[in-house]
Short mmCIF file of all heavy atoms in Angstrom, two decimals:
data_model
loop_
_atom_site.label_atom_id
_atom_site.label_comp_id
_atom_site.label_asym_id
_atom_site.label_seq_id
_atom_site.Cartn_x
_atom_site.Cartn_y
_atom_site.Cartn_z
N LYS A 1 4.81 -12.68 -1.68
CA LYS A 1 4.20 -11.42 -1.31
C LYS A 1 4.99 -10.28 -1.92
O LYS A 1 6.19 -10.39 -2.15
CB LYS A 1 4.18 -11.25 0.20
CG LYS A 1 3.17 -12.14 0.88
CD LYS A 1 2.97 -11.73 2.30
CE LYS A 1 1.88 -12.62 2.87
NZ LYS A 1 1.38 -12.12 4.11
N LEU A 2 4.29 -9.18 -2.11
CA LEU A 2 4.91 -7.95 -2.61
C LEU A 2 5.09 -7.01 -1.43
O LEU A 2 4.19 -6.85 -0.61
CB LEU A 2 4.00 -7.32 -3.66
CG LEU A 2 4.45 -5.97 -4.21
CD1 LEU A 2 5.67 -6.17 -5.11
CD2 LEU A 2 3.33 -5.31 -4.97
N LEU A 3 6.24 -6.37 -1.36
CA LEU A 3 6.52 -5.38 -0.33
C LEU A 3 6.59 -4.01 -0.99
O LEU A 3 7.33 -3.82 -1.96
CB LEU A 3 7.84 -5.69 0.38
CG LEU A 3 8.33 -4.64 1.38
CD1 LEU A 3 7.34 -4.47 2.52
CD2 LEU A 3 9.70 -5.02 1.90
N VAL A 4 5.83 -3.06 -0.45
CA VAL A 4 5.81 -1.69 -0.96
C VAL A 4 6.45 -0.80 0.09
O VAL A 4 6.03 -0.79 1.24
CB VAL A 4 4.37 -1.21 -1.23
CG1 VAL A 4 4.37 0.22 -1.72
CG2 VAL A 4 3.66 -2.11 -2.20
N ALA A 5 7.47 -0.04 -0.33
CA ALA A 5 8.13 0.92 0.55
C ALA A 5 8.26 2.22 -0.21
O ALA A 5 8.89 2.27 -1.26
CB ALA A 5 9.49 0.40 0.98
N GLN A 6 7.64 3.27 0.29
CA GLN A 6 7.69 4.57 -0.36
C GLN A 6 8.40 5.57 0.53
O GLN A 6 8.43 5.44 1.75
CB GLN A 6 6.29 5.08 -0.68
CG GLN A 6 5.58 4.26 -1.72
CD GLN A 6 4.23 4.83 -2.03
OE1 GLN A 6 3.42 5.05 -1.15
NE2 GLN A 6 3.97 5.08 -3.30
N SER A 7 8.90 6.61 -0.10
CA SER A 7 9.58 7.67 0.62
C SER A 7 9.13 9.00 0.06
O SER A 7 8.77 9.09 -1.11
CB SER A 7 11.09 7.49 0.46
OG SER A 7 11.78 8.52 1.12
N GLY A 8 9.12 10.01 0.90
CA GLY A 8 8.72 11.33 0.44
C GLY A 8 7.65 11.90 1.33
O GLY A 8 7.31 11.33 2.37
N GLY A 9 7.12 13.01 0.94
CA GLY A 9 6.10 13.69 1.74
C GLY A 9 4.77 12.98 1.70
O GLY A 9 4.48 12.22 0.79
N PRO A 10 3.94 13.22 2.71
CA PRO A 10 2.61 12.60 2.76
C PRO A 10 1.65 13.34 1.84
O PRO A 10 0.93 14.23 2.25
CB PRO A 10 2.22 12.74 4.23
CG PRO A 10 2.96 13.96 4.69
CD PRO A 10 4.24 14.00 3.90
N THR A 11 1.65 12.97 0.59
CA THR A 11 0.83 13.67 -0.39
C THR A 11 -0.17 12.74 -1.05
O THR A 11 -0.04 11.51 -1.00
CB THR A 11 1.70 14.28 -1.50
OG1 THR A 11 2.29 13.20 -2.24
CG2 THR A 11 2.79 15.17 -0.94
N ALA A 12 -1.15 13.35 -1.69
CA ALA A 12 -2.16 12.57 -2.42
C ALA A 12 -1.51 11.79 -3.57
O ALA A 12 -1.98 10.72 -3.94
CB ALA A 12 -3.24 13.50 -2.95
N VAL A 13 -0.42 12.30 -4.12
CA VAL A 13 0.26 11.60 -5.22
C VAL A 13 0.84 10.29 -4.71
O VAL A 13 0.72 9.25 -5.36
CB VAL A 13 1.37 12.49 -5.83
CG1 VAL A 13 2.19 11.71 -6.84
CG2 VAL A 13 0.76 13.73 -6.46
N ILE A 14 1.48 10.32 -3.56
CA ILE A 14 2.04 9.09 -2.98
C ILE A 14 0.92 8.10 -2.68
O ILE A 14 1.04 6.91 -2.96
CB ILE A 14 2.88 9.40 -1.73
CG1 ILE A 14 4.19 10.04 -2.16
CG2 ILE A 14 3.14 8.14 -0.91
CD1 ILE A 14 5.07 10.48 -1.04
N ASN A 15 -0.17 8.57 -2.10
CA ASN A 15 -1.28 7.68 -1.80
C ASN A 15 -1.91 7.11 -3.06
O ASN A 15 -2.29 5.95 -3.10
CB ASN A 15 -2.33 8.40 -0.96
CG ASN A 15 -1.90 8.57 0.47
OD1 ASN A 15 -0.95 7.96 0.92
ND2 ASN A 15 -2.60 9.42 1.20
N SER A 16 -2.00 7.92 -4.09
CA SER A 16 -2.59 7.44 -5.34
C SER A 16 -1.70 6.38 -6.00
O SER A 16 -2.20 5.37 -6.50
CB SER A 16 -2.82 8.62 -6.29
OG SER A 16 -3.54 8.21 -7.41
N SER A 17 -0.39 6.60 -5.98
CA SER A 17 0.50 5.59 -6.56
C SER A 17 0.49 4.32 -5.73
O SER A 17 0.53 3.21 -6.27
CB SER A 17 1.92 6.13 -6.73
OG SER A 17 2.50 6.45 -5.49
N LEU A 18 0.40 4.45 -4.41
CA LEU A 18 0.28 3.27 -3.53
C LEU A 18 -1.00 2.51 -3.86
O LEU A 18 -0.98 1.29 -3.97
CB LEU A 18 0.28 3.70 -2.07
CG LEU A 18 0.04 2.59 -1.05
CD1 LEU A 18 1.15 1.54 -1.11
CD2 LEU A 18 -0.08 3.18 0.35
N ALA A 19 -2.08 3.23 -4.04
CA ALA A 19 -3.36 2.59 -4.38
C ALA A 19 -3.24 1.79 -5.68
O ALA A 19 -3.75 0.68 -5.78
CB ALA A 19 -4.47 3.64 -4.50
N GLY A 20 -2.54 2.35 -6.67
CA GLY A 20 -2.37 1.65 -7.93
C GLY A 20 -1.56 0.37 -7.78
O GLY A 20 -1.92 -0.67 -8.34
N VAL A 21 -0.49 0.44 -7.02
CA VAL A 21 0.35 -0.75 -6.80
C VAL A 21 -0.44 -1.83 -6.06
O VAL A 21 -0.45 -2.99 -6.45
CB VAL A 21 1.63 -0.37 -6.01
CG1 VAL A 21 2.36 -1.61 -5.54
CG2 VAL A 21 2.52 0.51 -6.85
N VAL A 22 -1.10 -1.43 -4.98
CA VAL A 22 -1.85 -2.40 -4.17
C VAL A 22 -3.00 -2.99 -4.96
O VAL A 22 -3.20 -4.21 -4.94
CB VAL A 22 -2.35 -1.74 -2.86
CG1 VAL A 22 -3.30 -2.66 -2.10
CG2 VAL A 22 -1.16 -1.36 -1.98
N ASP A 23 -3.73 -2.16 -5.65
CA ASP A 23 -4.87 -2.64 -6.44
C ASP A 23 -4.41 -3.65 -7.49
O ASP A 23 -4.99 -4.73 -7.62
CB ASP A 23 -5.57 -1.46 -7.10
CG ASP A 23 -6.84 -1.85 -7.82
OD1 ASP A 23 -7.57 -2.73 -7.33
OD2 ASP A 23 -7.12 -1.27 -8.88
N TYR A 24 -3.35 -3.32 -8.22
CA TYR A 24 -2.85 -4.25 -9.24
C TYR A 24 -2.37 -5.55 -8.60
O TYR A 24 -2.71 -6.64 -9.07
CB TYR A 24 -1.72 -3.63 -10.05
CG TYR A 24 -1.09 -4.66 -10.97
CD1 TYR A 24 -1.72 -5.04 -12.14
CD2 TYR A 24 0.09 -5.31 -10.61
CE1 TYR A 24 -1.18 -6.01 -12.95
CE2 TYR A 24 0.63 -6.29 -11.42
CZ TYR A 24 -0.01 -6.64 -12.59
OH TYR A 24 0.53 -7.62 -13.38
N ALA A 25 -1.57 -5.43 -7.57
CA ALA A 25 -0.98 -6.63 -6.94
C ALA A 25 -2.06 -7.57 -6.41
O ALA A 25 -1.97 -8.78 -6.58
CB ALA A 25 -0.03 -6.22 -5.82
N LEU A 26 -3.08 -7.01 -5.77
CA LEU A 26 -4.14 -7.85 -5.19
C LEU A 26 -5.06 -8.44 -6.25
O LEU A 26 -5.58 -9.54 -6.07
CB LEU A 26 -4.94 -7.06 -4.15
CG LEU A 26 -4.19 -6.68 -2.88
CD1 LEU A 26 -5.07 -5.80 -1.99
CD2 LEU A 26 -3.73 -7.91 -2.11
N SER A 27 -5.27 -7.72 -7.34
CA SER A 27 -6.20 -8.21 -8.36
C SER A 27 -5.51 -9.07 -9.43
O SER A 27 -6.18 -9.78 -10.17
CB SER A 27 -6.93 -7.04 -9.02
OG SER A 27 -6.03 -6.22 -9.72
N SER A 28 -4.20 -9.02 -9.51
CA SER A 28 -3.47 -9.73 -10.57
C SER A 28 -3.39 -11.23 -10.36
O SER A 28 -3.23 -11.98 -11.31
CB SER A 28 -2.06 -9.18 -10.69
OG SER A 28 -1.26 -9.60 -9.57
N GLY A 29 -3.47 -11.66 -9.10
CA GLY A 29 -3.31 -13.07 -8.81
C GLY A 29 -1.85 -13.52 -8.82
O GLY A 29 -1.55 -14.69 -8.65
N LYS A 30 -0.94 -12.58 -9.01
CA LYS A 30 0.49 -12.91 -9.06
C LYS A 30 1.16 -12.90 -7.69
O LYS A 30 2.29 -13.36 -7.56
CB LYS A 30 1.21 -11.92 -9.98
CG LYS A 30 0.78 -12.01 -11.42
CD LYS A 30 1.52 -11.02 -12.29
CE LYS A 30 1.06 -11.16 -13.74
NZ LYS A 30 1.84 -10.28 -14.61
N PHE A 31 0.47 -12.35 -6.70
CA PHE A 31 1.05 -12.22 -5.36
C PHE A 31 0.08 -12.79 -4.34
O PHE A 31 -1.13 -12.66 -4.47
CB PHE A 31 1.33 -10.75 -5.04
CG PHE A 31 2.22 -10.09 -6.04
CD1 PHE A 31 1.70 -9.35 -7.09
CD2 PHE A 31 3.60 -10.21 -5.95
CE1 PHE A 31 2.52 -8.74 -8.03
CE2 PHE A 31 4.43 -9.60 -6.87
CZ PHE A 31 3.89 -8.87 -7.91
N SER A 32 0.62 -13.39 -3.30
CA SER A 32 -0.23 -13.95 -2.25
C SER A 32 -0.69 -12.87 -1.27
O SER A 32 -1.57 -13.10 -0.46
CB SER A 32 0.52 -15.04 -1.48
OG SER A 32 1.67 -14.52 -0.85
N GLY A 33 -0.12 -11.69 -1.36
CA GLY A 33 -0.50 -10.58 -0.50
C GLY A 33 0.43 -9.40 -0.73
O GLY A 33 1.37 -9.48 -1.51
N VAL A 34 0.10 -8.30 -0.05
CA VAL A 34 0.90 -7.09 -0.16
C VAL A 34 1.17 -6.55 1.23
O VAL A 34 0.26 -6.45 2.05
CB VAL A 34 0.18 -6.01 -1.00
CG1 VAL A 34 1.01 -4.74 -1.10
CG2 VAL A 34 -0.17 -6.51 -2.37
N LEU A 35 2.42 -6.24 1.49
CA LEU A 35 2.81 -5.61 2.74
C LEU A 35 3.27 -4.20 2.45
O LEU A 35 3.99 -3.95 1.48
CB LEU A 35 3.95 -6.38 3.41
CG LEU A 35 3.65 -7.80 3.84
CD1 LEU A 35 4.91 -8.45 4.40
CD2 LEU A 35 2.54 -7.83 4.88
N GLY A 36 2.87 -3.26 3.28
CA GLY A 36 3.33 -1.88 3.18
C GLY A 36 4.35 -1.63 4.28
O GLY A 36 4.13 -2.02 5.43
N SER A 37 5.44 -1.01 3.93
CA SER A 37 6.48 -0.69 4.90
C SER A 37 6.16 0.65 5.56
O SER A 37 5.95 1.65 4.86
CB SER A 37 7.83 -0.62 4.20
OG SER A 37 8.82 -0.15 5.08
N VAL A 38 6.12 0.69 6.87
CA VAL A 38 5.87 1.93 7.61
C VAL A 38 7.17 2.74 7.63
O VAL A 38 8.22 2.24 8.01
CB VAL A 38 5.40 1.64 9.05
CG1 VAL A 38 5.19 2.93 9.83
CG2 VAL A 38 4.11 0.82 9.02
N ASN A 39 7.10 3.98 7.16
CA ASN A 39 8.26 4.89 7.08
C ASN A 39 9.29 4.45 6.05
O ASN A 39 10.50 4.56 6.26
CB ASN A 39 8.92 5.08 8.44
CG ASN A 39 8.01 5.75 9.44
OD1 ASN A 39 7.26 6.66 9.07
ND2 ASN A 39 8.03 5.31 10.66
N GLY A 40 8.82 3.94 4.92
CA GLY A 40 9.71 3.63 3.80
C GLY A 40 10.76 2.58 4.13
O GLY A 40 10.48 1.57 4.76
N ILE A 41 11.99 2.85 3.71
CA ILE A 41 13.06 1.88 3.88
C ILE A 41 13.37 1.63 5.36
O ILE A 41 13.78 0.54 5.74
CB ILE A 41 14.34 2.32 3.10
CG1 ILE A 41 15.33 1.15 2.98
CG2 ILE A 41 14.98 3.52 3.74
CD1 ILE A 41 14.86 0.03 2.12
N GLU A 42 13.12 2.63 6.20
CA GLU A 42 13.32 2.44 7.65
C GLU A 42 12.43 1.31 8.16
O GLU A 42 12.84 0.52 8.99
CB GLU A 42 13.02 3.75 8.38
CG GLU A 42 13.30 3.71 9.86
CD GLU A 42 13.04 5.04 10.53
OE1 GLU A 42 13.40 6.08 9.96
OE2 GLU A 42 12.45 5.01 11.61
N GLY A 43 11.19 1.25 7.68
CA GLY A 43 10.28 0.19 8.06
C GLY A 43 10.75 -1.18 7.61
O GLY A 43 10.53 -2.18 8.28
N VAL A 44 11.43 -1.22 6.45
CA VAL A 44 11.99 -2.49 5.97
C VAL A 44 13.07 -2.95 6.94
O VAL A 44 13.09 -4.11 7.37
CB VAL A 44 12.56 -2.35 4.54
CG1 VAL A 44 13.27 -3.62 4.12
CG2 VAL A 44 11.46 -2.00 3.55
N PHE A 45 13.98 -2.05 7.29
CA PHE A 45 15.07 -2.40 8.20
C PHE A 45 14.54 -2.83 9.58
O PHE A 45 15.09 -3.72 10.21
CB PHE A 45 16.03 -1.24 8.38
CG PHE A 45 16.81 -0.90 7.13
CD1 PHE A 45 17.07 0.40 6.79
CD2 PHE A 45 17.26 -1.90 6.27
CE1 PHE A 45 17.79 0.72 5.66
CE2 PHE A 45 17.97 -1.60 5.12
CZ PHE A 45 18.24 -0.29 4.82
N ASN A 46 13.46 -2.17 10.03
CA ASN A 46 12.89 -2.48 11.34
C ASN A 46 11.79 -3.53 11.29
O ASN A 46 11.17 -3.84 12.32
CB ASN A 46 12.33 -1.20 11.98
CG ASN A 46 13.40 -0.19 12.29
OD1 ASN A 46 14.51 -0.55 12.67
ND2 ASN A 46 13.08 1.09 12.10
N GLU A 47 11.53 -4.06 10.09
CA GLU A 47 10.47 -5.06 9.88
C GLU A 47 9.13 -4.57 10.42
O GLU A 47 8.40 -5.29 11.09
CB GLU A 47 10.87 -6.40 10.49
CG GLU A 47 12.11 -6.99 9.85
CD GLU A 47 12.48 -8.35 10.39
OE1 GLU A 47 11.66 -8.98 11.06
OE2 GLU A 47 13.63 -8.78 10.12
N ASN A 48 8.80 -3.32 10.09
CA ASN A 48 7.55 -2.69 10.52
C ASN A 48 6.63 -2.60 9.29
O ASN A 48 6.78 -1.70 8.47
CB ASN A 48 7.83 -1.31 11.10
CG ASN A 48 6.62 -0.69 11.75
OD1 ASN A 48 5.56 -1.30 11.84
ND2 ASN A 48 6.78 0.53 12.21
N PHE A 49 5.72 -3.57 9.18
CA PHE A 49 4.88 -3.69 7.99
C PHE A 49 3.40 -3.63 8.33
O PHE A 49 2.99 -3.96 9.44
CB PHE A 49 5.16 -5.02 7.28
CG PHE A 49 6.60 -5.25 6.97
CD1 PHE A 49 7.26 -6.34 7.49
CD2 PHE A 49 7.31 -4.39 6.16
CE1 PHE A 49 8.60 -6.59 7.21
CE2 PHE A 49 8.65 -4.60 5.87
CZ PHE A 49 9.29 -5.70 6.40
N ILE A 50 2.61 -3.24 7.33
CA ILE A 50 1.15 -3.25 7.41
C ILE A 50 0.64 -4.20 6.33
O ILE A 50 1.08 -4.12 5.17
CB ILE A 50 0.56 -1.85 7.16
CG1 ILE A 50 0.99 -0.88 8.26
CG2 ILE A 50 -0.96 -1.91 7.07
CD1 ILE A 50 0.58 0.55 7.99
N ASP A 51 -0.27 -5.08 6.69
CA ASP A 51 -0.91 -5.97 5.71
C ASP A 51 -1.90 -5.12 4.91
O ASP A 51 -2.84 -4.56 5.47
CB ASP A 51 -1.61 -7.11 6.42
CG ASP A 51 -2.21 -8.12 5.46
OD1 ASP A 51 -2.16 -7.91 4.23
OD2 ASP A 51 -2.71 -9.15 5.96
N MET A 52 -1.69 -5.01 3.63
CA MET A 52 -2.53 -4.16 2.78
C MET A 52 -3.77 -4.88 2.26
O MET A 52 -4.50 -4.35 1.42
CB MET A 52 -1.70 -3.64 1.60
CG MET A 52 -0.44 -2.87 2.02
SD MET A 52 -0.78 -1.43 3.06
CE MET A 52 -1.39 -0.30 1.84
N GLU A 53 -4.05 -6.06 2.78
CA GLU A 53 -5.21 -6.86 2.35
C GLU A 53 -6.51 -6.08 2.48
O GLU A 53 -7.43 -6.26 1.68
CB GLU A 53 -5.27 -8.15 3.18
CG GLU A 53 -6.44 -9.04 2.86
CD GLU A 53 -6.39 -9.69 1.49
OE1 GLU A 53 -5.29 -9.91 0.98
OE2 GLU A 53 -7.47 -9.96 0.93
N LYS A 54 -6.61 -5.21 3.49
CA LYS A 54 -7.86 -4.46 3.69
C LYS A 54 -8.19 -3.57 2.50
O LYS A 54 -9.33 -3.14 2.34
CB LYS A 54 -7.80 -3.64 4.97
CG LYS A 54 -6.79 -2.53 4.96
CD LYS A 54 -6.76 -1.81 6.29
CE LYS A 54 -5.69 -0.74 6.33
NZ LYS A 54 -5.65 -0.10 7.63
N PHE A 55 -7.20 -3.29 1.65
CA PHE A 55 -7.44 -2.45 0.48
C PHE A 55 -7.91 -3.25 -0.73
O PHE A 55 -7.98 -2.72 -1.84
CB PHE A 55 -6.20 -1.63 0.15
CG PHE A 55 -5.94 -0.57 1.17
CD1 PHE A 55 -4.96 -0.76 2.13
CD2 PHE A 55 -6.70 0.58 1.21
CE1 PHE A 55 -4.73 0.20 3.11
CE2 PHE A 55 -6.48 1.54 2.18
CZ PHE A 55 -5.50 1.35 3.12
N ARG A 56 -8.23 -4.53 -0.52
CA ARG A 56 -8.81 -5.32 -1.60
C ARG A 56 -10.19 -4.77 -1.96
O ARG A 56 -10.66 -4.89 -3.08
CB ARG A 56 -8.92 -6.79 -1.18
CG ARG A 56 -9.32 -7.70 -2.30
CD ARG A 56 -9.27 -9.16 -1.90
NE ARG A 56 -7.95 -9.66 -1.63
CZ ARG A 56 -7.11 -10.12 -2.54
NH1 ARG A 56 -7.46 -10.13 -3.80
NH2 ARG A 56 -5.92 -10.57 -2.20
N ASP A 57 -10.84 -4.13 -1.01
CA ASP A 57 -12.16 -3.52 -1.20
C ASP A 57 -12.02 -2.28 -2.10
O ASP A 57 -11.22 -1.39 -1.83
CB ASP A 57 -12.71 -3.12 0.17
CG ASP A 57 -14.08 -2.47 0.11
OD1 ASP A 57 -14.28 -1.56 -0.73
OD2 ASP A 57 -14.93 -2.85 0.91
N GLU A 58 -12.79 -2.23 -3.17
CA GLU A 58 -12.71 -1.13 -4.15
C GLU A 58 -12.97 0.23 -3.51
O GLU A 58 -12.34 1.22 -3.89
CB GLU A 58 -13.71 -1.39 -5.27
CG GLU A 58 -13.60 -0.40 -6.41
CD GLU A 58 -14.52 -0.76 -7.56
OE1 GLU A 58 -14.56 -1.93 -7.96
OE2 GLU A 58 -15.19 0.16 -8.05
N ASN A 59 -13.86 0.30 -2.53
CA ASN A 59 -14.14 1.58 -1.88
C ASN A 59 -12.94 2.07 -1.08
O ASN A 59 -12.67 3.27 -1.05
CB ASN A 59 -15.37 1.47 -0.97
CG ASN A 59 -16.65 1.35 -1.76
OD1 ASN A 59 -16.78 1.92 -2.84
ND2 ASN A 59 -17.59 0.59 -1.24
N ARG A 60 -12.22 1.17 -0.44
CA ARG A 60 -11.02 1.58 0.32
C ARG A 60 -9.93 2.09 -0.61
O ARG A 60 -9.22 3.03 -0.29
CB ARG A 60 -10.51 0.44 1.18
CG ARG A 60 -11.37 0.20 2.40
CD ARG A 60 -10.75 -0.87 3.27
NE ARG A 60 -11.53 -1.07 4.46
CZ ARG A 60 -11.16 -0.67 5.67
NH1 ARG A 60 -10.01 -0.09 5.85
NH2 ARG A 60 -11.92 -0.89 6.70
N ILE A 61 -9.78 1.46 -1.77
CA ILE A 61 -8.80 1.92 -2.76
C ILE A 61 -9.18 3.32 -3.22
O ILE A 61 -8.33 4.21 -3.32
CB ILE A 61 -8.71 0.96 -3.97
CG1 ILE A 61 -8.02 -0.33 -3.57
CG2 ILE A 61 -8.02 1.60 -5.15
CD1 ILE A 61 -6.52 -0.23 -3.40
N LYS A 62 -10.45 3.55 -3.49
CA LYS A 62 -10.92 4.86 -3.94
C LYS A 62 -10.65 5.92 -2.87
O LYS A 62 -10.18 7.01 -3.18
CB LYS A 62 -12.42 4.79 -4.26
CG LYS A 62 -12.98 6.06 -4.81
CD LYS A 62 -14.44 5.89 -5.15
CE LYS A 62 -15.03 7.19 -5.67
NZ LYS A 62 -16.46 7.07 -5.97
N ILE A 63 -10.92 5.59 -1.62
CA ILE A 63 -10.67 6.53 -0.52
C ILE A 63 -9.18 6.83 -0.40
O ILE A 63 -8.76 7.98 -0.22
CB ILE A 63 -11.25 5.99 0.80
CG1 ILE A 63 -12.78 6.01 0.75
CG2 ILE A 63 -10.73 6.79 2.00
CD1 ILE A 63 -13.45 5.25 1.88
N LEU A 64 -8.34 5.79 -0.49
CA LEU A 64 -6.91 5.98 -0.40
C LEU A 64 -6.40 6.92 -1.50
O LEU A 64 -5.59 7.81 -1.25
CB LEU A 64 -6.18 4.64 -0.50
CG LEU A 64 -4.66 4.69 -0.44
CD1 LEU A 64 -4.17 5.30 0.87
CD2 LEU A 64 -4.07 3.29 -0.62
N LYS A 65 -6.92 6.77 -2.71
CA LYS A 65 -6.51 7.62 -3.83
C LYS A 65 -6.83 9.09 -3.56
O LYS A 65 -6.14 9.99 -4.03
CB LYS A 65 -7.21 7.21 -5.11
CG LYS A 65 -6.70 5.94 -5.72
CD LYS A 65 -7.48 5.63 -6.97
CE LYS A 65 -7.08 4.31 -7.56
NZ LYS A 65 -7.87 4.00 -8.78
N GLN A 66 -7.89 9.35 -2.79
CA GLN A 66 -8.34 10.71 -2.56
C GLN A 66 -7.89 11.28 -1.21
O GLN A 66 -8.20 12.41 -0.89
CB GLN A 66 -9.86 10.76 -2.65
CG GLN A 66 -10.35 10.37 -4.02
CD GLN A 66 -11.85 10.20 -4.08
OE1 GLN A 66 -12.54 10.22 -3.07
NE2 GLN A 66 -12.38 10.01 -5.28
N THR A 67 -7.13 10.50 -0.45
CA THR A 67 -6.67 10.95 0.86
C THR A 67 -5.44 11.83 0.68
O THR A 67 -4.47 11.42 0.07
CB THR A 67 -6.34 9.74 1.76
OG1 THR A 67 -7.51 8.94 1.87
CG2 THR A 67 -5.91 10.20 3.14
N PRO A 68 -5.46 13.06 1.22
CA PRO A 68 -4.37 14.00 0.98
C PRO A 68 -3.14 13.78 1.86
O PRO A 68 -2.22 14.57 1.81
CB PRO A 68 -5.01 15.34 1.26
CG PRO A 68 -6.07 15.05 2.25
CD PRO A 68 -6.58 13.67 1.90
N SER A 69 -3.12 12.78 2.68
CA SER A 69 -1.93 12.52 3.49
C SER A 69 -1.82 11.02 3.75
O SER A 69 -2.76 10.28 3.51
CB SER A 69 -2.00 13.27 4.81
OG SER A 69 -3.08 12.80 5.59
N SER A 70 -0.67 10.61 4.24
CA SER A 70 -0.47 9.18 4.46
C SER A 70 -0.85 8.77 5.85
O SER A 70 -1.10 9.57 6.71
CB SER A 70 0.97 8.81 4.19
OG SER A 70 1.84 9.51 5.02
#
């Protein structure tokens, strides 16, 4: 599995880059899944993850790219 942990402000740029990582990871066939860390590295330390499988849907990826906050 791939683990994604981001840090910074809740901006559309962060969401768009997250969408790109998740979309590639899920469509590449190289990973069995993608986990998102809640609150960046803090989520890694606390093992607070979100299964990003729901973003396999192209419409959800598109919405995530256009969402102005996290």
